Amino acid sequence: LPSDIPPAPEGPEVTGRIVLPGEVIGEVAGFISGHGTYSVDGMLIASIAGVAERINKFVTVRPLRSRYTGDVGDVVVGRVKSVQQSRWKIEINAKQDAVLLLSSINLPGDVRRRRTVEDQMQMRTFFQENDLISAEVQQFFGDGSMSLHTRLRYGKLQNGTLVVVPPNLVKRSKSHFHTFRCGVDMVLGTNGYVWLAPHKTTTEVEGEKIETFAPLTAELRLNIARIKNCLITLAKHGLAIHSSAVTKSFSISEELKLSPKAILLPTNAVKIVTAMLGE
């Protein structure tokens, strides 16, 4: 190990500091080493690049970029990776694929009964490989993988586009479903997958729910592209992503009279971010 470790910055403040691998956080005598740290010659050193956080004397480093870890109750957007016996494997931008059990979905017509062998034979009529779905984290298995469910308002996603942003930027909110005034629905997955699609209405006919999408006009396509590029701009500049932030960036881009494509130009992106931070 090198003996010429750089000195720790003056002052006791640790939380919120951005540290690099090998940077001194403080003296071990004053702290307890946690994830992302190690000790050398009585000094606490960062082992990864990230933000130092302290709870009492326990110090950790939260990586700037990491895979989605998840909590029970999180809204996620995932892609069906494989169909197995009584379950689907779902890719959700985590270290492990999540599991969606056959018993954790709504059957057609919201029928409530035990799942049968016939249901297992027809699993691909519900979800098949490469389908995109919205779901909620129900529980964790012993190996750390997540179990999902698609009851209530969750299910298959259609007629839209997927945007990928860093999951650590997605702010957990009361609702991760949002409809913009321009007629675009957004599902903001806490795993960094964001779904944009034309507004959908659900009607019930003879006990069966029928989904109807708004006509995909040229104006609606441009609005979807505008929201997508606003999301990319927020992610690129490290701003927290939530429905209010996306709505504000959308409005600012309209006030600046920028086309959806022009939003991604560096000078225009800086204008949007500066306007957001100035308010």
Side-chain angles (χ1 to χ4, degrees), residues 9 62 67 69 90 107 114 125 149 152 164 167-168 180 183 195 201 205 210 218 224 247 252 260:
R62 175 171 52 84
R67 289 289 226 174
T69 51
I90 312 295
L107 295 175
R114 292 178 63 89
T125 62
H149 80 82
L152 304 175
V164 180
N168 59 300
F180 295 92
W195 180 254
T201 56
V205 178
I210 299 176
I224 292 175
T247 302
I252 292 172

Short mmCIF file of all heavy atoms in Angstrom, two decimals, residues 9 62 67 69 90 107 114 125 149 152 164 167-168 180 183 195 201 205 210 218 224 247 252 260:
data_model
loop_
_atom_site.label_atom_id
_atom_site.label_comp_id
_atom_site.label_asym_id
_atom_site.label_seq_id
_atom_site.Cartn_x
_atom_site.Cartn_y
_atom_site.Cartn_z
N PRO A 9 -9.18 16.38 4.22
CA PRO A 9 -9.56 17.79 4.26
C PRO A 9 -9.86 18.24 5.68
O PRO A 9 -10.29 17.43 6.52
CB PRO A 9 -10.83 17.84 3.38
CG PRO A 9 -10.76 16.60 2.55
CD PRO A 9 -10.05 15.59 3.38
N ARG A 62 -21.47 5.97 -0.98
CA ARG A 62 -22.51 5.56 -1.93
C ARG A 62 -21.99 5.82 -3.35
O ARG A 62 -21.67 6.95 -3.69
CB ARG A 62 -23.79 6.35 -1.68
CG ARG A 62 -24.90 6.09 -2.69
CD ARG A 62 -26.20 6.73 -2.25
NE ARG A 62 -26.05 8.12 -1.92
CZ ARG A 62 -26.08 9.12 -2.80
NH1 ARG A 62 -26.25 8.85 -4.08
NH2 ARG A 62 -25.93 10.38 -2.41
N ARG A 67 -26.09 -0.36 -9.72
CA ARG A 67 -27.28 -1.09 -10.12
C ARG A 67 -28.40 -0.79 -9.15
O ARG A 67 -28.20 -0.42 -7.99
CB ARG A 67 -26.98 -2.60 -10.13
CG ARG A 67 -26.06 -3.04 -11.26
CD ARG A 67 -26.73 -2.96 -12.60
NE ARG A 67 -26.51 -4.14 -13.41
CZ ARG A 67 -27.08 -4.36 -14.57
NH1 ARG A 67 -27.90 -3.47 -15.08
NH2 ARG A 67 -26.83 -5.45 -15.25
N THR A 69 -31.07 -1.44 -6.46
CA THR A 69 -31.16 -2.39 -5.34
C THR A 69 -32.62 -2.68 -4.96
O THR A 69 -32.99 -3.82 -4.80
CB THR A 69 -30.40 -1.86 -4.12
OG1 THR A 69 -30.83 -0.51 -3.84
CG2 THR A 69 -28.90 -1.86 -4.40
N ILE A 90 -37.81 -11.44 -15.01
CA ILE A 90 -37.94 -10.06 -15.46
C ILE A 90 -36.61 -9.32 -15.25
O ILE A 90 -36.06 -9.34 -14.15
CB ILE A 90 -39.05 -9.31 -14.69
CG1 ILE A 90 -40.35 -10.16 -14.65
CG2 ILE A 90 -39.30 -7.95 -15.30
CD1 ILE A 90 -40.98 -10.38 -15.98
N LEU A 107 -55.69 -12.36 -13.73
CA LEU A 107 -56.18 -13.14 -14.86
C LEU A 107 -57.18 -12.31 -15.66
O LEU A 107 -57.76 -11.35 -15.13
CB LEU A 107 -56.84 -14.43 -14.37
CG LEU A 107 -55.91 -15.44 -13.67
CD1 LEU A 107 -56.72 -16.60 -13.12
CD2 LEU A 107 -54.83 -15.93 -14.62
N ARG A 114 -57.70 -20.11 -7.95
CA ARG A 114 -56.39 -20.76 -7.94
C ARG A 114 -55.91 -20.97 -9.37
O ARG A 114 -56.71 -21.25 -10.26
CB ARG A 114 -56.47 -22.11 -7.21
CG ARG A 114 -56.73 -21.98 -5.72
CD ARG A 114 -56.84 -23.36 -5.08
NE ARG A 114 -55.60 -24.10 -5.21
CZ ARG A 114 -54.60 -24.05 -4.32
NH1 ARG A 114 -54.71 -23.28 -3.25
NH2 ARG A 114 -53.52 -24.77 -4.49
N THR A 125 -49.70 -16.21 -23.30
CA THR A 125 -50.79 -15.33 -23.72
C THR A 125 -50.91 -14.13 -22.77
O THR A 125 -51.51 -13.12 -23.13
CB THR A 125 -52.13 -16.09 -23.73
OG1 THR A 125 -52.44 -16.54 -22.40
CG2 THR A 125 -52.06 -17.29 -24.66
N HIS A 149 -45.33 -8.11 -8.48
CA HIS A 149 -46.73 -8.40 -8.78
C HIS A 149 -47.24 -7.35 -9.74
O HIS A 149 -46.75 -6.21 -9.77
CB HIS A 149 -47.58 -8.48 -7.51
CG HIS A 149 -47.99 -7.14 -6.95
ND1 HIS A 149 -49.06 -6.42 -7.43
CD2 HIS A 149 -47.46 -6.40 -5.95
CE1 HIS A 149 -49.19 -5.30 -6.76
NE2 HIS A 149 -48.21 -5.25 -5.86
N LEU A 152 -53.70 -4.59 -9.64
CA LEU A 152 -54.15 -3.21 -9.65
C LEU A 152 -53.89 -2.57 -11.01
O LEU A 152 -54.33 -3.08 -12.03
CB LEU A 152 -53.48 -2.43 -8.52
CG LEU A 152 -53.69 -3.02 -7.09
CD1 LEU A 152 -52.89 -2.25 -6.08
CD2 LEU A 152 -55.16 -3.04 -6.73
N VAL A 164 -33.98 5.12 -20.58
CA VAL A 164 -33.17 4.59 -19.48
C VAL A 164 -32.38 5.72 -18.85
O VAL A 164 -31.66 6.45 -19.54
CB VAL A 164 -32.21 3.49 -19.98
CG1 VAL A 164 -31.38 2.94 -18.81
CG2 VAL A 164 -32.99 2.36 -20.65
N PRO A 167 -30.67 4.91 -12.05
CA PRO A 167 -31.70 4.70 -11.01
C PRO A 167 -31.48 5.54 -9.76
O PRO A 167 -32.45 5.86 -9.06
CB PRO A 167 -31.59 3.19 -10.70
CG PRO A 167 -30.25 2.79 -11.19
CD PRO A 167 -29.94 3.67 -12.35
N ASN A 168 -30.23 5.93 -9.47
CA ASN A 168 -30.00 6.72 -8.26
C ASN A 168 -30.52 8.15 -8.38
O ASN A 168 -30.64 8.87 -7.38
CB ASN A 168 -28.50 6.76 -7.93
CG ASN A 168 -27.67 7.36 -9.05
OD1 ASN A 168 -27.66 6.85 -10.17
ND2 ASN A 168 -26.98 8.45 -8.77
N PHE A 180 -49.21 13.92 -18.52
CA PHE A 180 -48.91 15.31 -18.87
C PHE A 180 -50.11 15.94 -19.57
O PHE A 180 -50.92 15.25 -20.18
CB PHE A 180 -47.67 15.38 -19.77
CG PHE A 180 -46.40 14.91 -19.10
CD1 PHE A 180 -46.01 13.58 -19.20
CD2 PHE A 180 -45.61 15.79 -18.38
CE1 PHE A 180 -44.85 13.15 -18.59
CE2 PHE A 180 -44.46 15.37 -17.77
CZ PHE A 180 -44.06 14.05 -17.87
N GLY A 183 -51.10 15.04 -23.16
CA GLY A 183 -51.68 13.75 -23.52
C GLY A 183 -50.70 12.59 -23.54
O GLY A 183 -50.94 11.60 -24.23
N TRP A 195 -41.20 4.76 -18.92
CA TRP A 195 -42.05 4.42 -20.07
C TRP A 195 -42.90 5.63 -20.44
O TRP A 195 -43.56 6.23 -19.59
CB TRP A 195 -42.95 3.24 -19.73
CG TRP A 195 -43.86 2.83 -20.85
CD1 TRP A 195 -45.20 3.04 -20.94
CD2 TRP A 195 -43.49 2.14 -22.05
NE1 TRP A 195 -45.70 2.52 -22.11
CE2 TRP A 195 -44.66 1.96 -22.82
CE3 TRP A 195 -42.29 1.65 -22.55
CZ2 TRP A 195 -44.66 1.33 -24.05
CZ3 TRP A 195 -42.28 1.02 -23.78
CH2 TRP A 195 -43.46 0.86 -24.52
N THR A 201 -57.03 5.17 -21.84
CA THR A 201 -58.27 5.13 -21.06
C THR A 201 -58.75 3.69 -20.99
O THR A 201 -58.60 2.92 -21.95
CB THR A 201 -59.36 6.01 -21.69
OG1 THR A 201 -59.57 5.60 -23.05
CG2 THR A 201 -58.95 7.47 -21.66
N VAL A 205 -66.48 -3.41 -20.42
CA VAL A 205 -67.60 -3.87 -21.24
C VAL A 205 -67.88 -5.32 -20.88
O VAL A 205 -67.03 -6.19 -21.09
CB VAL A 205 -67.29 -3.72 -22.75
CG1 VAL A 205 -68.46 -4.25 -23.58
CG2 VAL A 205 -67.00 -2.27 -23.10
N ILE A 210 -61.29 -2.93 -21.36
CA ILE A 210 -60.77 -2.65 -22.70
C ILE A 210 -59.96 -1.36 -22.64
O ILE A 210 -60.46 -0.33 -22.18
CB ILE A 210 -61.90 -2.52 -23.73
CG1 ILE A 210 -62.70 -3.84 -23.80
CG2 ILE A 210 -61.35 -2.15 -25.10
CD1 ILE A 210 -63.89 -3.78 -24.72
N ALA A 218 -48.93 13.35 -35.22
CA ALA A 218 -47.57 13.89 -35.34
C ALA A 218 -47.23 14.77 -34.14
O ALA A 218 -46.11 14.74 -33.63
CB ALA A 218 -47.45 14.67 -36.64
N ILE A 224 -43.92 13.32 -27.10
CA ILE A 224 -43.22 12.19 -26.49
C ILE A 224 -41.71 12.37 -26.64
O ILE A 224 -40.94 12.14 -25.69
CB ILE A 224 -43.69 10.86 -27.12
CG1 ILE A 224 -45.14 10.57 -26.74
CG2 ILE A 224 -42.79 9.70 -26.67
CD1 ILE A 224 -45.74 9.35 -27.42
N THR A 247 -41.94 17.90 -15.75
CA THR A 247 -42.93 18.88 -16.20
C THR A 247 -42.31 20.27 -16.35
O THR A 247 -42.57 20.99 -17.32
CB THR A 247 -44.11 18.94 -15.20
OG1 THR A 247 -44.70 17.65 -15.09
CG2 THR A 247 -45.16 19.93 -15.66
N ILE A 252 -40.10 24.71 -19.75
CA ILE A 252 -38.99 25.62 -20.07
C ILE A 252 -38.56 25.45 -21.52
O ILE A 252 -38.29 26.43 -22.22
CB ILE A 252 -37.80 25.36 -19.12
CG1 ILE A 252 -38.17 25.79 -17.69
CG2 ILE A 252 -36.55 26.10 -19.58
CD1 ILE A 252 -37.14 25.40 -16.65
N PRO A 260 -37.89 19.46 -30.16
CA PRO A 260 -37.44 18.31 -29.36
C PRO A 260 -35.99 17.93 -29.63
O PRO A 260 -35.23 17.62 -28.70
CB PRO A 260 -38.41 17.20 -29.79
CG PRO A 260 -39.65 17.92 -30.18
CD PRO A 260 -39.18 19.19 -30.81
#
